[in-house]
Amino acid sequence: MSRSFPNGFLWGASTAAHQIEGNNLNNDWWQLEHAAADHGVQFSGDAADSYHRYQEDMRLLADAGCNAYRFSIEWSRIEPSPGRFSRAELAHYRRMIDTALGLGLTPVVTLHHFTHPIWFGERGAWLGDGAVDAFCRYVEQACTILDGVEWVCTINEPNIVAVNHGQQRRLAEGKEYQFVGALPDAEIGQALIAAHRAAAPLVRAATGAKVGWTVANQAFLPAPGCESKHAEVRHIWEDMYLEPARGDDFVGVQSYTSQLVDDNGVVPHPDHPDNTIMGWAYRPDALGIAVRHTRDVVGDVPLVVTENGIATSDDSRRIAYTQGALTALHETISEGADVRGYLHWSLLDNFEWGRWEPTFGLIAVDRETFERRPKPSLRWLGQIAQANALTS
């Protein structure tokens, strides 16, 4: 049985600059990697050297049959000092856009994917005076190279940014770092919402692109009798960030797993042999839960799955997970969800924010030689893209 997707559907994969480029030595994550090495944070270093090898990476994606590539541009490269912009770096990212277009890949460009310049952090980051203005100043410069880009994400997973920076804030205040159960910091979240609301119309006016942001959907489910706590947690984690997207051109849905919420809050993933390398429950159906909930909150705003994948060393398991996720996605489309694309996380095995062990990629990368080794899952996804349908 063939299950078709809408005409013009985006099929591809996603990456983030810091995780693949290498040597982003002027941002806060590079700084953290050095400061927190004693706490188990690993070093990104050369990463996948995609700063130099992006043409090869895009060609592998296009040759497999996909038609879209989501990547981010690195704020700290473009604005290494406050108010001083690198024309060479802007030209570099313009070449990436041109390469994608030349290969028949629709570029989906993210302006902020977890990292910011060190100088921005030294000024208080998102809670500093003038943070929104500083972000908008960078965005205005980024817009000068976005001609021909149809899809722009302002900020990736603001709810996760609010978690990460909230924990750094706790440490700065002398409080203990919460490794389990941390919630997004609401004050930082409000600053990110303000930044998105200020930046989105700038991008729209300057480029004519469709503009939105991406939200990490946790696909929370209530334990029996815990519906009230479930609604409370879901608002803190997701709805606070989905509600501002109601006026956007699209919203990015990012989903990997599902968790229960009981009266104490989010239930940790229980140990199970099916858990992924990340320690998450194996839940390909989570994507359907995420899309349905996002649609419930944002209404008729179009959706794009901007991240979905599994950390596994078994590529047959990656294919099985993705087959399940796409089956769940197709069901939501059949129910009326306006979904415009599916972008797998990730194109490459990469630096997974402090760890090298989780392998999410459709392409393996030798960390010594940087040789790219496409996995069967890349060819499999490309065949689905070419058919624009699930055929089994």
Side-chain angles (χ1 to χ4, degrees):
M1 180 180 67
S2 178
R3 288 159 288 175
S4 298
F5 286 80
N7 292 335
F9 203 75
L10 300 176
W11 290 101
S14 295
T15 59
H18 188 75
Q19 293 179 263
I20 65 169
E21 284 185 341
N23 299 303
N24 275 321
L25 49 82
N26 195 33
N27 72 32
D28 58 317
W29 263 95
W30 184 273
Q31 191 177 43
L32 177 67
E33 289 161 26
H34 289 75
D38 293 339
H39 298 281
V41 176
Q42 297 174 13
F43 181 47
S44 60
D46 291 325
D49 194 34
S50 198
Y51 185 86
H52 301 105
R53 300 168 192 263
Y54 65 86
Q55 292 176 321
E56 178 184 1
D57 296 337
M58 292 188 203
R59 186 172 294 109
L60 288 170
L61 183 62
D63 287 350
C66 293
N67 63 18
Y69 180 44
R70 175 175 173 242
F71 60 92
S72 70
I73 61 179
E74 175 63 33
W75 183 1
S76 68
R77 288 186 187 269
I78 289 174
E79 191 178 7
S81 297
R84 297 181 181 273
F85 298 95
S86 171
R87 300 301 160 197
E89 294 293 357
L90 286 165
H92 167 81
Y93 290 110
R94 181 65 228 183
R95 286 192 293 273
M96 289 187 67
I97 293 167
D98 288 337
T99 298
L101 293 171
L103 289 168
L105 295 171
T106 296
V108 181
V109 176
T110 302
L111 301 178
H112 182 280
H113 197 129
F114 286 176
T115 59
H116 58 239
I118 290 174
W119 61 260
F120 183 77
E122 290 174 343
R123 294 182 173 191
W126 293 105
L127 296 182
D129 291 340
V132 171
D133 289 341
F135 181 64
C136 287
R137 182 180 63 203
Y138 151 67
V139 167
E140 288 175 335
Q141 288 293 314
C143 285
T144 64
I145 62 164
L146 296 181
D147 183 55
V149 175
E150 297 180 32
W151 303 85
V152 176
C153 310
T154 57
I155 300 172
N156 177 76
E157 294 187 340
N159 47 344
I160 303 299
V161 176
V163 172
N164 293 338
H165 287 276
Q167 291 307 299
Q168 293 178 35
R169 186 183 187 187
R170 285 178 60 87
L171 287 175
E173 294 171 350
K175 299 177 182 177
E176 186 177 350
Y177 192 100
Q178 293 178 298
F179 286 97
V180 178
L183 297 173
D185 183 299
E187 187 178 4
I188 294 173
Q190 289 296 343
L192 292 163
I193 290 168
H196 171 66
R197 284 177 164 159
L202 296 177
V203 179
R204 198 172 290 114
T207 68
K210 301 176 183 69
V211 186
W213 67 355
T214 72
V215 177
N217 194 300
Q218 308 302 304
F220 290 129
L221 295 172
C226 300
E227 287 76 14
S228 178
K229 185 66 174 181
H230 171 254
E232 174 191 335
V233 169
R234 194 163 60 177
H235 184 271
I236 293 169
W237 261 102
E238 298 169 8
D239 297 0
M240 176 176 166
Y241 303 90
L242 291 172
E243 289 164 1
R246 287 172 177 156
D248 287 343
D249 302 305
F250 74 96
V251 60
V253 178
Q254 309 203 160
S255 170
Y256 294 90
T257 188
S258 176
Q259 284 178 270
L260 283 177
V261 174
D262 64 15
D263 284 335
N264 296 314
V266 181
V267 178
H269 295 284
D271 289 335
H272 192 280
D274 282 345
N275 284 2
T276 72
I277 294 174
M278 296 292 289
W280 299 342
Y282 179 87
R283 292 293 301 270
D285 63 317
L287 183 56
I289 299 168
V291 168
R292 289 184 181 94
H293 178 63
T294 300
R295 184 190 181 203
D296 287 345
V297 177
V298 303
D300 60 359
V301 177
L303 310 180
V304 178
V305 178
T306 40
E307 291 184 22
N308 172 252
I310 178 175
T312 180
S313 58
D314 181 351
D315 198 53
S316 63
R317 196 167 189 238
R318 176 171 293 104
I319 292 172
Y321 174 93
T322 310
Q323 174 82 28
L326 290 174
T327 298
L329 181 63
H330 188 270
E331 289 171 358
T332 70
I333 294 171
S334 298
E335 295 164 5
D338 183 5
V339 183
R340 305 292 180 89
Y342 175 87
L343 305 175
H344 191 84
W345 185 268
S346 174
L347 179 62
L348 306 171
D349 286 342
N350 57 36
F351 178 71
E352 194 55 45
W353 303 113
R355 298 171 63 194
W356 279 103
E357 291 79 13
T359 45
F360 281 92
L362 300 168
I363 299 171
V365 179
D366 186 306
R367 289 182 53 207
E368 296 295 325
T369 67
F370 306 109
E371 178 188 0
R372 271 64 172 148
R373 299 179 187 132
K375 302 175 187 179
S377 54
L378 175 62
R379 182 175 63 254
W380 175 85
L381 184 62
Q383 290 171 343
I384 290 174
Q386 287 290 288
N388 199 35
L390 286 170
T391 57
S392 62

